[in-house]
Structure formats: structure tokens, C-alpha cells
Amino acid sequence: MRVSENLAVVQTRITEAATRSGRKAEDVKIIAVTKYVSVERAQEALEAGIIHLGENRDEGLNAKHEIIGEKAVWHFIGSLQTRKVKAVINKVDYIHSLDRESLAKEIDRRADKPINCFVQVNVSGEKSKHGLELYEVASFVEAMHVYQNIRICGLMTMAPLTDDRDLLRNCFRKLAECRTHIQSLNLSYAPCTELSMGMSNDYEIAIEEGATMIRIGTALVGE
Ligand SMILES: *Cc1c(COP(=O)(O)O)cnc(C)c1O
């Protein structure tokens, strides 16, 4: 399938989910996750009108960034090893996987300008997943005030791989509640307006629960 055909389907579903929850489709940005696919396929996504691209490894990001460059807005969505920070930091616009202070320190040291970071939260508490637990998020965000180049733009989560819709909904809802709490702290470096949640399998529920950025790979560009 062409990306443009997949996109038409995804956009219809976004509109329906937004309407069901009294939101506007324009308030949900699509990040095309291109980690599985070629540079050509990523370019096809851009031609279809998607400007946000997501990669989860430094190799994939660099290979695509070299060719596509500033035509896209770049999102680093994978867990980020501290020693890899310098390889990606000045190519990305958003990092979705801030989950520890040592990583913040390295981002702060290497970045030329403030970087939009999502705090990754492990809402479900699965051992296999990266991210802070919900109860740790507020104190972590408060500790970020010393880093001039860290801007906390929002929270990110990966829901469990399940078809249990209630469980998924509950996970997204808890992240949205946590976001509201962080916003209420009124920290200048942490506006925390964004919610990065929802993938191919669960983006409609995520939108119903307030997602502002959804990260779609399989359903858009393929596996
Ligand atoms: C791979 C990946 C996605 C996209 O997954 P799909 O199920 O293919 O849509 C989204 N977010 C993260 C963090 C990923 O690693």
C-alpha cells in the first residue's frame, strides 16, 4: 500500500476518535515511525504530507537525516544510551525517552539549544519496559530545573501489548492525569502540554484519552 492510502485510513480514524471525545483532529499530530523502513519509504511519507518522522536508533536516524535533513521534524522515540547522545542530539527536535537524570545531564551538556523532551513513563509497571513510574514523575521533572537545555514538553508512554481496551484506556488516562498534575506545578521549563501516546494498535483509544502526538509505524509505512 502507498503511504498516502494508509494515511487516508489513519486520518479518518483520527477524526472519528477525536469527534467521539469532543476534540479536533488537528490537535493530534502524526509521527510516522520509519524505524522499520527505507529512506525512500520515509520520503514517501513526507510526500504524502507527514512532516514528523520518528526513529529509535542512532544509525537509522543518521542515515535518514543525511538525506532528508531539515525537511522533516525529527523525533527520537527509542531508549537512548547516554553514550549515543552526541550522535543524535543536534539532529533531533524532540526526544521521547527521557527517563533518568544521567541522560538529562548528557543531553544538557551536548545540546546547542534547548531540546524538547518527553519524560517516558512506565504506566503499567511492566518490568520489561523503560520509563519512570507515575509516582516518580513530579520529583524528576522538578529536578530538571538545573538543566538549561532541557525543556519538558510532555509525557510519553508505551502501553502494554494487549487487546484489552479497558487496560489500554486506563493506562492512557493515568498518563493524562499525571500531565495535568505536572502542568499545575507551573514550571517555566516544563509546560508539559503534550501527550505522546498511541501506536498502530491503540491510537484511537489514546486520542480519546487526550493524545496530542501519536507514533504510528506499521499502519502507516509498514513493518
Ligand atoms: C516502533 C515504535 C512505535 C510504532 O509502532 P507500531 O506499532 O508499528 O505503530 C511507536 N513508538 C515507539 C516507542 C516504538 O518503538
Side-chain angles (χ1 to χ4, degrees), residues 126-202:
E126 288 170 285
K127 287 267 182 303
S128 61
K129 287 224 151 72
H130 289 274
L132 298 173
E133 303 231 10
L134 280 164
Y135 74 88
E136 300 173 304
V137 175
S139 59
F140 180 79
V141 171
E142 281 170 340
M144 293 297 104
H145 80 275
V146 295
Y147 302 114
Q148 302 297 315
N149 286 331
I150 302 272
R151 183 174 182 273
I152 305 296
C153 65
L155 304 180
M156 177 273 207
T157 199
M158 283 177 84
L161 198 58
T162 174
D163 291 328
D164 183 338
R165 297 174 62 83
D166 291 337
L167 203 148
L168 291 168
R169 188 176 298 287
N170 191 42
C171 170
F172 296 138
R173 190 167 290 178
K174 282 185 175 152
L175 193 73
E177 285 166 7
C178 185
R179 192 238 348 223
T180 303
H181 176 61
I182 301 299
Q183 282 181 314
S184 75
L185 301 175
N186 274 315
L187 303 168
S188 58
Y189 62 90
C192 210
T193 51
E194 308 293 327
L195 278 174
S196 167
M197 57 189 198
M199 308 179 16
S200 293
N201 180 48
D202 55 23

Side-chain angles (χ1 to χ4, degrees), residues 15-214:
T15 303
E16 287 167 357
T19 306
R20 278 197 295 279
S21 50
R23 304 184 60 212
K24 295 200 204 81
E26 307 89 85
D27 296 339
V28 182
K29 294 193 179 74
I30 302 171
I31 301 169
V33 176
T34 50
K35 66 186 186 193
Y36 319 102
V37 301
S38 65
V39 180
E40 291 72 27
R41 191 72 166 162
Q43 285 172 312
E44 197 191 321
L46 288 175
E47 280 155 26
I50 296 170
I51 60 164
H52 297 273
L53 300 183
E55 283 284 331
N56 70 340
R57 305 192 60 134
D58 63 316
E59 296 90 345
L61 175 79
N62 282 316
K64 293 188 178 80
H65 188 275
E66 202 165 295
I67 293 169
I68 295 172
E70 307 302 317
K71 287 203 283 283
V73 176
W74 294 96
H75 297 255
F76 195 88
I77 61 168
S79 69
L80 183 53
Q81 288 173 278
T82 308
R83 65 188 175 85
K84 299 279 187 170
V85 168
K86 65 175 182 295
V88 303
I89 191 66
N90 291 309
K91 297 180 180 132
V92 298
D93 301 289
Y94 293 86
I95 293 175
H96 290 244
S97 47
L98 179 58
D99 61 355
R100 59 195 189 279
E101 185 142 3
S102 57
L103 179 59
K105 200 169 190 167
E106 181 68 2
I107 292 170
D108 186 59
R109 194 159 81 90
R110 299 280 184 183
D112 295 336
K113 58 172 190 326
I115 303 288
N116 280 308
C117 296
F118 287 86
V119 176
Q120 183 167 352
V121 186
N122 182 1
V123 177
S124 56
E126 288 170 285
K127 287 267 182 303
S128 61
K129 287 224 151 72
H130 289 274
L132 298 173
E133 303 231 10
L134 280 164
Y135 74 88
E136 300 173 304
V137 175
S139 59
F140 180 79
V141 171
E142 281 170 340
M144 293 297 104
H145 80 275
V146 295
Y147 302 114
Q148 302 297 315
N149 286 331
I150 302 272
R151 183 174 182 273
I152 305 296
C153 65
L155 304 180
M156 177 273 207
T157 199
M158 283 177 84
L161 198 58
T162 174
D163 291 328
D164 183 338
R165 297 174 62 83
D166 291 337
L167 203 148
L168 291 168
R169 188 176 298 287
N170 191 42
C171 170
F172 296 138
R173 190 167 290 178
K174 282 185 175 152
L175 193 73
E177 285 166 7
C178 185
R179 192 238 348 223
T180 303
H181 176 61
I182 301 299
Q183 282 181 314
S184 75
L185 301 175
N186 274 315
L187 303 168
S188 58
Y189 62 90
C192 210
T193 51
E194 308 293 327
L195 278 174
S196 167
M197 57 189 198
M199 308 179 16
S200 293
N201 180 48
D202 55 23
Y203 67 91
E204 290 158 278
I205 303 173
I207 290 167
E208 288 171 13
E209 297 302 325
T212 63
M213 290 191 180
I214 57 175

